[in-house]
Amino acid sequence: MAASSMASSSQPRMMEQSLFYTQPPARAVHTRKVTAVNLHREMSLIRSLMPTFPFVAVDTQFPGVVHPHPRGAGVTADNRYAAVRANADELCLLQLGITLSAADGRLPVDGALVEFMWEFDFAGFDARYHRHAPESVHFLRAQGFDFEAARLAGVPALAFAAELAASGILGLRGVTWVAFGGMYDVAFLLRLATGGAPLPATRLGFLAQVGAIFGTQVFDAKHMASLLHMHGGLAAVGAMLRLPPQLPRCHMAGQNSVMALQLFMELRRRFSDLGGSLHSCSLKIEGLT
C-alpha cells in the first residue's frame, strides 16, 4: 500500500503506544489447555494479565462447513455473511485459541520464563448427532484433537459465556482483538459473548454488534496483509513476512492464535514504517468488507 493512501490525521489510542516490535526467533510456546475443571482459574488469569498484555489474538476450530459459500462473479460480502451466519449458528465450536501480547510483541511467561497461550476445548459436539463436514473432523483428529476427551471434559459454551461476562474482560478499555481470516473466528466469538444467541440477520448488524461488544479495535490480519498485496493462509503470509515458524507446527487453535498475533504485529510495524494508520483497518473482516 502506498504511504499516501494510508496516511491519517488520527490514530486509535492503542496504536499510539510503543511500536518497538522485533520478530522473535523460532520458539515453542507452551499451551495451557483449558477444560471445564480449570475454566474459572484460567479465565481469571487472562483477566489479570490483559492490562499488561492488551493485544488478544484468537483462532477457532469447528467441524467444517455444512452450508457452502457462494462462489463466482457477483458474490457480495452480504452473500458471504449469509453463509457464515448459517454455519456458525448451526455448528458446534470445538476449540478456541487465545494469545495475549504486549505492544512490543512480548507474550506472558510462567515461573520458568516459558511463554504460553491458551487452548479451550469445548464440550457439546458428537459426530454421531451433530452436523459436520467429515473431512474436517478427520483432519482435526489427524492433527491431534481428541473429540472424545472434549465431549466428556470440555468447556460447555454457556459456562464459558458466563465466565466471560463475569470476568469483566469485555469491559476493559484499550484492548485490541486480532484474528487472521477472521470471518468464523469473530462469528463464533460473538456467539460465545452473547450466550449462544443467533448472529444478527445482516452483515452490517453483525459488524455493529462486534463493535459494540469488543470495541472498535478489532483487526483481521488477513485483510491487512491484502492491503500490502500479500495473499494466502497463515503459513503462506507468514513466509512472505519472513516470520519464524512455530515449533512444533500443528493446525490447532492455540498455535494458530500465536501465529495470527505475530502476523498482526509484523504488519502493524510495516504499516507504521510506511507512515500509515491502522484506523482504516478496524472492523474490516476479510470477506465481509
Side-chain angles (χ1 to χ4, degrees), residues 15 27 35 40 45 47 70 84 97 105 111 116 119 125 159 170 187 201 207 233 238 242 246 265 271 274:
M15 293 306 127
R27 86 270 203 178
T35 64
H40 177 74
L45 177 60
R47 171 62 179 83
V84 171
F116 60 85
E119 201 167 71
F125 175 75
L170 297 179
L207 294 174
R242 299 183 180 180
Q246 295 300 307
M265 286 295 183
F271 272 59
L274 290 171

Side-chain angles (χ1 to χ4, degrees), residues 19 27 56 74 139 161 239 266:
L19 289 172
R27 86 270 203 178
V56 186
F139 173 77
E266 176 62 20

Side-chain angles (χ1 to χ4, degrees), residues 8 13 36 52-53 55 66 91 103 112 122 126 133-134 170-171 188 210 235-236 242 250 260 269 274 282:
S8 173
R13 183 177 180 183
T52 306
F53 301 93
F55 290 79
V66 296
L91 295 168
F122 286 90
D126 191 325
L170 297 179
F188 278 111
V210 170
R242 299 183 180 180
C250 66
R269 183 186 67 79
L274 290 171
S282 180

Side-chain angles (χ1 to χ4, degrees), residues 40-54:
H40 177 74
R41 183 188 71 196
E42 297 302 318
M43 290 293 284
S44 297
L45 177 60
I46 290 173
R47 171 62 179 83
S48 71
L49 289 170
M50 283 180 68
T52 306
F53 301 93

Side-chain angles (χ1 to χ4, degrees), residues 138-218:
H138 175 77
F139 173 77
L140 290 172
R141 184 174 284 116
Q143 292 293 308
F145 186 81
D146 191 331
F147 285 88
E148 184 68 7
R151 185 175 67 83
L152 295 175
V155 176
L158 288 178
F160 181 94
E163 287 286 348
L164 185 63
S167 69
I169 286 173
L170 297 179
L172 291 175
R173 291 175 175 246
V175 174
T176 296
W177 297 85
V178 177
F180 181 90
M183 287 192 295
Y184 282 99
D185 300 322
V186 176
F188 278 111
L189 195 61
L190 182 60
R191 292 209 68 209
L192 287 171
T194 58
L199 293 176
T202 68
R203 177 181 62 90
L204 293 179
F206 169 74
L207 294 174
Q209 189 172 28
V210 170
I213 293 177
F214 297 98
T216 58
Q217 299 275 73
V218 179

Side-chain angles (χ1 to χ4, degrees), residues 14 17-22 27 49-57 99-109 115 174 176 178 261-262 264-265 268:
M14 183 57 64
Q17 292 189 6
S18 170
L19 289 172
F20 295 122
Y21 171 72
T22 56
R27 86 270 203 178
L49 289 170
M50 283 180 68
T52 306
F53 301 93
F55 290 79
V56 186
T99 298
L100 301 185
S101 171
D104 60 3
R106 290 178 298 110
L107 307 189
V109 295
E115 295 175 314
T176 296
V178 177
L261 185 281
Q262 286 190 342
F264 170 78
M265 286 295 183
R268 176 174 173 259

